[in-house]
Amino acid sequence: MAASNDLQEALKPFYQRASEAEERLARLEAAFSTRKAGDTGNEELLNKVAQLQRMLEDEKEKALKEAQKASEENAKLRYRITHLTRALQKADSDLASK
């Protein structure tokens, strides 16, 4: 019986260290799972940001195309105005000379 008491006394520090190690492991696992859950949130945010950037690029391309079309239409209208003005001036000068 004294031998079993001595054995338990000898193993007591090992049990203590094993308990401390289990507690540290539990804290680490909890921290890791919390961190991993946070990373999932970050991934979702990064995905949303990437999606918004794609949408912004699409809108930018559409706006550039519309601006290009408006610029072309403006040039056509200016060309017509120039020719109509010249034709009007010519008609006025023809009437004035008669």
Side-chain angles (χ1 to χ4, degrees), residues 27-46:
R27 285 194 304 265
L28 286 172
E29 287 174 342
F32 181 73
S33 66
T34 302
R35 183 174 174 199
K36 190 161 187 134
D39 289 346
T40 303
N42 287 339
E43 284 181 32
E44 290 175 13
L45 288 176
L46 290 174

Side-chain angles (χ1 to χ4, degrees), residues 2-14:
S4 71
N5 282 342
D6 289 340
L7 181 60
Q8 285 188 356
E9 286 298 317
L11 293 176
K12 194 173 187 178
F14 292 106

Side-chain angles (χ1 to χ4, degrees), residues 73-97:
E73 184 68 23
N74 192 359
K76 289 177 186 177
L77 291 173
R78 287 183 184 273
Y79 179 79
R80 287 182 68 192
I81 289 170
T82 301
H83 285 283
L84 289 172
T85 305
R86 284 186 192 157
L88 185 59
Q89 289 172 349
K90 185 176 191 281
D92 284 345
S93 69
D94 287 346
L95 282 174
S97 65

Side-chain angles (χ1 to χ4, degrees), residues 12-83:
K12 194 173 187 178
F14 292 106
Y15 285 126
Q16 181 67 29
R17 286 187 6 218
S19 295
E20 290 171 1
E22 287 175 351
E23 288 174 11
R24 283 195 309 260
L25 179 60
R27 285 194 304 265
L28 286 172
E29 287 174 342
F32 181 73
S33 66
T34 302
R35 183 174 174 199
K36 190 161 187 134
D39 289 346
T40 303
N42 287 339
E43 284 181 32
E44 290 175 13
L45 288 176
L46 290 174
N47 288 338
K48 292 225 183 243
V49 167
Q51 181 183 12
L52 289 172
Q53 285 176 335
R54 284 190 301 272
M55 289 172 61
L56 183 61
E57 286 296 321
D58 291 345
E59 290 298 318
K60 183 179 175 182
E61 287 178 24
K62 287 178 186 176
L64 287 174
K65 287 178 183 177
E66 287 178 15
Q68 182 66 30
K69 285 181 183 178
S71 179
E72 290 171 2
E73 184 68 23
N74 192 359
K76 289 177 186 177
L77 291 173
R78 287 183 184 273
Y79 179 79
R80 287 182 68 192
I81 289 170
T82 301
H83 285 283

